[in-house]
Amino acid sequence: MSPATFERKAPTEHERELLAKSGRLLPCGVRNASFTPELAMVIRDARGSRITDCSGNEYIDYLLGSGPMFLGHAHPSVVKAVRAQLEKGTAYLMISEPAIRLGEAIVEAVPCAEQVSFHGSGSEATFFAMRLARAHRERDKVLKFEGAYHGMGDAVLMSTQWTRQPADFPEAVPDSAGIPGHVRHDVLIAPFNDIETTTAIVEKHANELACVIVEPLHRTIPPRDGFLEALRQVTAHYGIPLIFDEVVTGFRLAYGGAQELYGVTPDLCALGKTISGGHPLGVVCGREEIMSHAAPERMFSGGYVRLTGTFSGNPVSCAAALAILEELKKPGFYEAVNARGRRLRAGLESLLQATGLPAQVVGEATVFQPWFTREALVDHRSALTADSGRNRKFVDLLLRRGIVKAHEKFFVSAAHSDEDVEITLAALEEALAELRESESAPPPTTAPRARG
Ligand SMILES: Cc1ncc(COP(=O)(O)O)c(C=O)c1O
């Protein structure tokens, strides 16, 4: 496949029927790669770096299930491990050997991890990390950064908005109807990468704060030199637990995640996505002093935190995770995938530059994002200057050339080959040329509207 040979087949009748049914039955619609109805698709299967729709169109996939497929889709050793576990049963509630072995592997890998708890998703992991911190500090308020996404919990679905005006710091703005009105009063919002403002908020509210939660790579915006260190310092000074949300960065930026790459160790960490390669799993890990609030012995001595669920420590997800960690530990794994990611990113950067459009790429080697703005990207408000309409067009132009990407990130996997990168760069070149052309063309002349 190349962009020259990729010709998107029109949806078959079967796919059209499925799309119509989904429109009727699934009100939130399951995510599509494009907002353009004409480009809607239903996925049939995925393998390696490729994903195929029900009409037989095969795309190179940089969405990767929103990040978890770091080894690519249906990796043979993961499929083998999952198949073997399926034969042994899929849910016990009681603890199993895969869960214990995975706990041990996480403690070895993640700098802050002394103890571990298992959950069903990244949203659950951030939710339970904050509950642990609240119990430990005996305080309720949470400080999060504007624009940071920590999943669907009521307390964190605040001030991630793209469509509304932000409020003055530290006021929180709920991002969804249905969140009880009182919740936002327990949430404080700070600007990422601005340590002066953040410190002032922490100092003012130190006695009310249960924790500070941060994506160490804020969406795709890297921390400024010294920002995470200073955040660590001020939270440690007041004894406020610092939570790293490493649902995206854990095991992706490095085997020990962002805390290894950036050299800053939080008190607690939430993991998801990459660790289990698309199998439902969320993880909280961190200092024993805080994690041990979940120990049943505390049930009668106070401070006990309930953390369990039907899928906690699910043996299939844990077996998948163990197989994935074996692959990630192979010598040269990160060097190879990072090199491929950097090559794609550098190519994207120079193609964007050649268009003369205001644009830049930010992020790390295997997770990065093009932004159509010249403004230095340091936080949510600078990201709001980007031209989202142009980005939408760009995503559609790529999809028409056989490349699937979210409206935000490019996720690169170990399954993306050099040939995939070549094909993608050629598609990017064509898509950007068309984008440029469409914008320099005079607007279509329209007949004056009849008054009626
Ligand atoms: C940084 C971060 N935290 C938490 C979550 C929530 O994870 P999940 O979708 O597994 O609930 C996401 C999901 O995209 C995320 O990007």
Side-chain angles (χ1 to χ4, degrees):
M1 183 182 84
S2 79
T5 56
F6 179 86
E7 192 131 341
R8 191 170 186 270
K9 295 187 266 288
T12 58
E13 197 169 330
H14 174 61
E15 191 174 28
R16 279 204 309 272
E17 273 170 21
L18 287 173
L19 284 165
K21 209 176 269 186
S22 130
R24 272 198 318 276
L25 300 176
L26 311 174
C28 70
V30 177
R31 277 279 285 274
N32 242 309
S34 166
F35 293 121
T36 309
E38 180 200 336
L39 294 175
M41 61 174 100
V42 178
I43 298 308
R44 186 185 71 197
D45 54 49
R47 189 168 295 267
S49 62
R50 308 295 173 110
I51 193 160
T52 306
D53 69 22
C54 286
S55 301
N57 293 300
E58 185 190 87
Y59 303 84
I60 301 181
D61 183 17
Y62 293 98
L63 177 56
L64 294 178
S66 189
M69 312 313 299
F70 195 32
L71 297 180
H73 296 281
H75 187 280
S77 62
V78 182
V79 171
K80 188 170 163 212
V82 167
R83 201 170 272 151
Q85 182 57 45
L86 289 176
E87 300 284 342
K88 301 180 196 168
T90 51
Y92 314 135
L93 189 65
M94 289 182 286
I95 196 73
S96 65
E97 187 173 339
I100 296 166
R101 286 178 39 222
L102 182 59
E104 186 178 35
I106 292 169
V107 169
E108 272 168 24
V110 180
C112 77
E114 293 172 2
Q115 292 193 323
V116 177
S117 67
F118 293 117
H119 310 284
S121 67
S123 296
E124 281 182 48
T126 57
F127 174 86
F128 285 122
M130 291 187 295
R131 179 178 288 176
L132 281 160
R134 286 193 191 98
H136 186 66
R137 275 277 287 172
E138 299 181 342
R139 312 276 200 286
D140 289 342
K141 284 196 184 356
V142 169
L143 183 148
K144 78 174 280 286
F145 290 90
E146 192 175 51
Y149 179 64
H150 302 294
M152 284 287 145
D154 284 349
V156 284
L157 203 55
M158 300 269 169
S159 300
T160 66
Q161 70 278 350
W162 287 91
T163 49
R164 273 169 294 146
Q165 276 304 310
D168 290 341
F169 297 116
E171 193 187 324
V173 182
D175 285 329
S176 172
I179 296 178
H182 63 88
V183 176
R184 72 189 178 89
H185 302 301
D186 278 332
V187 183
L188 304 173
I189 304 296
F192 186 71
N193 268 333
D194 176 348
I195 197 60
E196 283 76 29
T197 307
T198 302
T199 300
I201 298 170
V202 170
E203 284 176 345
K204 185 164 177 207
H205 297 273
N207 202 31
E208 303 163 283
L209 273 172
C211 60
V212 171
I213 185 165
V214 62
E215 286 185 82
L217 175 69
H218 176 85
R219 307 283 68 213
T220 46
I221 300 173
R224 276 183 171 140
D225 280 351
F227 175 74
L228 293 175
E229 289 83 348
L231 188 63
R232 174 66 288 187
Q233 220 168 17
V234 68
T235 48
H237 177 77
Y238 289 104
I240 299 165
L242 176 63
I243 303 172
F244 273 12
D245 177 351
E246 293 228 42
V247 170
V248 168
T249 54
F251 292 99
R252 176 176 275 279
L253 297 198
Y255 192 65
Q259 43 196 292
E260 178 186 318
L261 184 71
Y262 300 138
V264 175
T265 306
D267 299 292
L268 291 173
C269 168
L271 296 163
K273 300 202 189 237
T274 292
I275 188 171
S276 55
H279 300 84
L281 184 70
V283 176
V284 181
C285 57
R287 282 174 42 216
E288 184 174 350
E289 191 191 358
I290 307 176
M291 295 297 301
S292 61
H293 279 268
E297 305 86 74
R298 290 192 78 138
M299 234 181 251
F300 304 102
S301 62
Y304 173 57
V305 174
R306 294 188 65 176
L307 289 185
T308 55
T310 305
F311 294 109
S312 304
N314 177 268
V316 180
S317 297
C318 292
L322 285 166
I324 288 164
L325 300 195
E326 281 311 307
E327 295 297 317
L328 303 185
K329 275 195 290 197
K330 286 186 176 162
F333 176 88
Y334 284 94
E335 286 81 354
V337 69
N338 286 346
R340 216 155 289 140
R342 285 195 190 107
R343 214 178 123 225
L344 179 61
R345 179 187 167 155
L348 170 62
E349 254 162 355
S350 62
L351 289 168
L352 279 170
Q353 218 169 22
T355 64
L357 293 169
Q360 60 189 300
V361 184
V362 300
E364 295 291 354
T366 62
V367 48
F368 50 83
Q369 180 169 355
W371 295 86
F372 289 98
T373 177
R374 281 209 178 93
E375 182 98 6
L377 276 171
V378 292
D379 60 9
H380 181 67
R381 293 188 191 193
S382 48
L384 286 176
T385 65
D387 186 335
S388 55
R390 188 176 274 159
N391 185 49
R392 244 180 241 195
K393 257 197 241 168
F394 173 59
V395 169
D396 282 3
L397 289 168
L398 280 176
L399 196 62
R400 290 179 196 281
R401 287 168 175 80
I403 308 294
V404 166
K405 157 194 183 303
H407 285 90
E408 297 137 5
K409 299 157 182 159
F410 268 93
F411 282 111
V412 178
S413 78
H416 286 105
S417 63
D418 284 333
E419 193 200 355
D420 286 334
V421 172
E422 288 303 320
I423 295 168
T424 308
L425 289 173
L428 281 165
E429 188 169 9
E430 285 186 13
L432 286 168
E434 192 175 330
L435 183 70
R436 190 82 194 88
E437 234 162 73
S438 72
E439 296 193 359
S440 52
T445 47
T446 45
R449 277 254 227 71
R451 305 175 83 188

